[in-house]
C-alpha cells in the first residue's frame, strides 16, 4: 500500500510541476502501480482536474492526454480505425477491464516498464511524448532515459499509420513474456520488441512484411534478450521471429484474435 501525507488536486500544470520537483512528492495517476510499491511520500499530486483525460485529433495526429485511461484507447473508434485495430489488440490483454479503466496512458509511458505492451505499440507508431518543461520528445529517445521529475502531459501519435501487435503470456491476465509490434513506414515496416524483458526497443526498420522467416530470425539475433521468471533467453529467441512475422502480417491484414 502507498501512504501519502498530503493529497493535492493540482490547479495548473505549473503548480504540479513545482510541487513535483521535491523528492518527497509523487504524481499519482491511476495509482494502480504505485499502490503496489509500498511507497511513502509527503505529497501526492493529482492531475485529474487538468483536462488531460481525452483524445484530441488534429489534421495529422492524435494528441492524447496523459490521464486518459487505457480502456478509452482500447475502445476508441478513430484510433482503432487508423491503426488497423492495434490499440484494441495491444490493450485488451492487460489484466482486466477494471484495471484498464483506471490505469492511465501517462502512468504507463512514464514508467517505461520492461514488460509494457503500451510502450511497445507506441514506439512502433513513432509516437512522441509532450513534457511540461522540456516540450516534445520522440518516444524513442524518452524510452531510453532515466525517470525524471518532469510531467508528461500528452502523447502525440501520427495519423495514418497501421500497426500490428502480438504478445505471448503464460496465462491470460499475466504480464507478457514477449511482445512484438510492427508499423507501416515508407519502404517496409518498423519492428519493435518489448518484454525482452527490458524496455521496448526498435528491432529493425524498413522490413518487407512478406519477408521469409529467416529475415525475422536474423533480426532477432541482433536484439538483446534476457531471461527471467517467465521465460529463458533461449525461449524468447525461439518465439521472437514468429511473433515479429505475425506482427508484420497483422500490420498489413489488420489485427485478429487468434
Ligand atoms: C497488476 C498489474 C498488472 C499489469 N499488467 C500490465 C501488462 O500486462 N501490460 C502492460 O503494458 N502494463 C501492465 N500494467 C501496467 C499498467 O498498464 C499501468 O502502466 C500502470 O498501472 C501505471 O499506470 P497508472 O495510471 O496506474 O500509474 P501510477 O501507478 O499512478 O503511476 C506510475 C508512475 O508513473 C508516474 N506518473 C504517472 N503519470 C505521470 C505523468 N503524467 N507525468 C509524470 N509521471 C507520471 C507516477 O509518479 C509513478 O511513478 C500492470 C499493472 C498492474 C498494477
Amino acid at each position: 500500500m502507498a501512504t501519502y501525507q498530503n493529497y493535492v488536486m493540482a490547479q495548473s500544470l505549473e503548480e504540479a510541476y513545482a510541487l513535483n520537483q521535491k523528492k518527497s512528492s509523487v504524481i499519482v495517476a491511476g495509482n494502480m502501480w504505485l499502490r503496489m510499491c509500498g511507497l511513502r511520500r509527503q505529497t501526492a499530486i493529482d492531475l485529474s482536474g487538468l483536462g488531460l483525460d481525452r483524445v484530441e485529433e488534429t489534421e495529422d495526429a492524435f494528441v492524447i492526454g496523459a490521464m486518459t485511461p487505457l480502456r478509452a484507447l482500447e475502445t476508441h473508434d478513430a484510433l482503432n480505425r487508423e491503426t488497423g485495430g492495434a490499440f484494441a489488440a495491444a490493450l485488451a490483454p492487460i489484466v482486466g477491464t477494471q484495471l484498464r479503466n483506471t490505469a492511465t496512458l501517462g502512468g504507463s509511458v512514464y514508467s517505461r516498464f520492461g514488460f509494457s505492451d503500451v510502450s511497445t505499440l507506441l514506439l512502433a507508431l513513432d509516437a512522441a511524448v509532450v513534457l511540461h518543461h522540456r516540450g516534445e520528445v520522440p518516444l524513442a529517445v524518452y524510452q531510453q532515459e532515466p525517470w525524471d521529475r518532469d510531467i508528461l502531459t500528452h502523447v502525440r501519435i501520427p495519423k495514418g499509420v497501421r500497426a500490428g501487435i502480438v504478445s505471448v503470456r503464460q496465462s491470460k491476465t499475466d504480464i507478457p513474456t514477449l511482445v512484438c509490434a510492427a508499423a507501416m513506414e515508407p519502404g517496409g515496416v518498423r519492428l519493435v520488441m518489448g518484454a525482452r524483458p527490458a524496455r521496448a526497443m526498435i528491432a529493425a526498420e524498413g522490413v518487407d512484411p512478406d519477408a521469409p522467416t529467416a529475415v525475422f530470425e536474423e533480426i532477432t539475433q541482433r536484439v538483446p534478450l534476457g531471461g527471467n521468471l517467465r521465460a529463458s533467453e533461449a525461449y524468447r529467441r525461439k518465439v521472437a521471429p514468429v511473433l515479429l512475422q505475425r506482427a508484420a502480417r497483422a500490420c498489413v491484414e489488420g489485427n485478429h484474435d487468434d
Side-chain angles (χ1 to χ4, degrees):
M1 194 176 83
T3 315
Y4 312 117
Q5 298 299 316
N6 311 310
Y7 195 91
V8 178
M9 284 291 288
Q11 300 301 308
S12 67
L13 280 169
E14 219 28 79
E15 182 195 11
Y17 179 79
L19 283 170
N20 199 38
Q21 299 319 297
K22 292 189 183 156
K23 282 193 176 159
S24 56
S25 299
V26 65
I27 303 279
V28 177
N31 200 31
M32 300 305 283
W33 191 261
L34 275 178
R35 72 186 180 142
M36 297 200 320
C37 299
L39 196 76
R40 284 172 178 272
R41 287 286 186 276
Q42 185 74 22
T43 306
I45 308 162
D46 188 332
L47 308 178
S48 58
L50 302 180
L52 298 176
D53 57 349
R54 57 202 67 151
V55 180
E56 288 165 301
E57 285 190 54
T58 67
E59 206 169 294
D60 56 2
F62 292 98
V63 182
I64 308 174
M67 292 295 284
T68 308
L70 298 183
R71 176 77 175 159
L73 306 179
E74 176 191 343
T75 57
H76 196 280
D77 285 343
L79 266 178
N80 279 301
R81 197 170 51 244
E82 289 270 333
T83 59
F87 277 86
L91 304 180
I94 300 177
V95 190
T97 311
Q98 283 170 311
L99 182 128
R100 300 194 303 276
N101 270 330
T102 311
T104 64
L105 179 65
S108 301
V109 174
Y110 173 84
S111 299
R112 287 157 275 195
F113 296 117
F115 56 81
S116 182
D117 296 276
V118 182
S119 301
T120 306
L121 175 62
L122 294 178
L123 203 50
L125 288 170
D126 201 20
V129 297
V130 182
L131 304 169
H132 176 65
H133 186 63
R134 276 170 75 194
E136 190 163 319
V137 178
L139 179 63
V141 173
Y142 186 71
Q143 184 64 10
Q144 305 304 325
E145 294 180 347
W147 298 290
D148 64 9
R149 308 202 72 81
D150 209 340
I151 295 180
L152 200 160
T153 63
H154 297 88
V155 173
R156 180 188 295 276
I157 299 171
K159 275 187 174 169
V161 184
R162 287 176 64 83
I165 184 159
V166 282
S167 60
V168 279
R169 290 171 145 77
Q170 287 195 345
S171 64
K172 213 171 172 200
T173 58
D174 197 10
I175 61 170
T177 301
L178 190 65
V179 198
C180 293
M184 204 53 86
E185 58 178 4
V189 289
R190 173 186 300 115
L191 296 172
V192 175
M193 286 172 69
R196 303 180 287 118
R199 289 181 181 188
M201 63 171 278
I202 298 171
E205 301 203 69
V207 179
D208 176 0
D210 295 318
T213 310
V215 169
F216 297 93
E217 283 169 352
E218 197 269 326
I219 291 167
T220 300
Q221 289 316 311
R222 288 185 264 123
V223 177
L225 297 176
N228 64 357
L229 277 175
R230 286 185 169 69
S232 62
E233 179 187 342
Y235 174 86
R236 288 189 169 89
R237 285 216 181 277
K238 192 85 180 161
V239 298
V242 179
L243 290 199
L244 286 174
Q245 195 169 26
R246 286 186 189 171
R249 293 306 311 158
C251 180
V252 175
E253 294 163 6
N255 291 274
H256 307 288
D257 287 328
D258 285 327

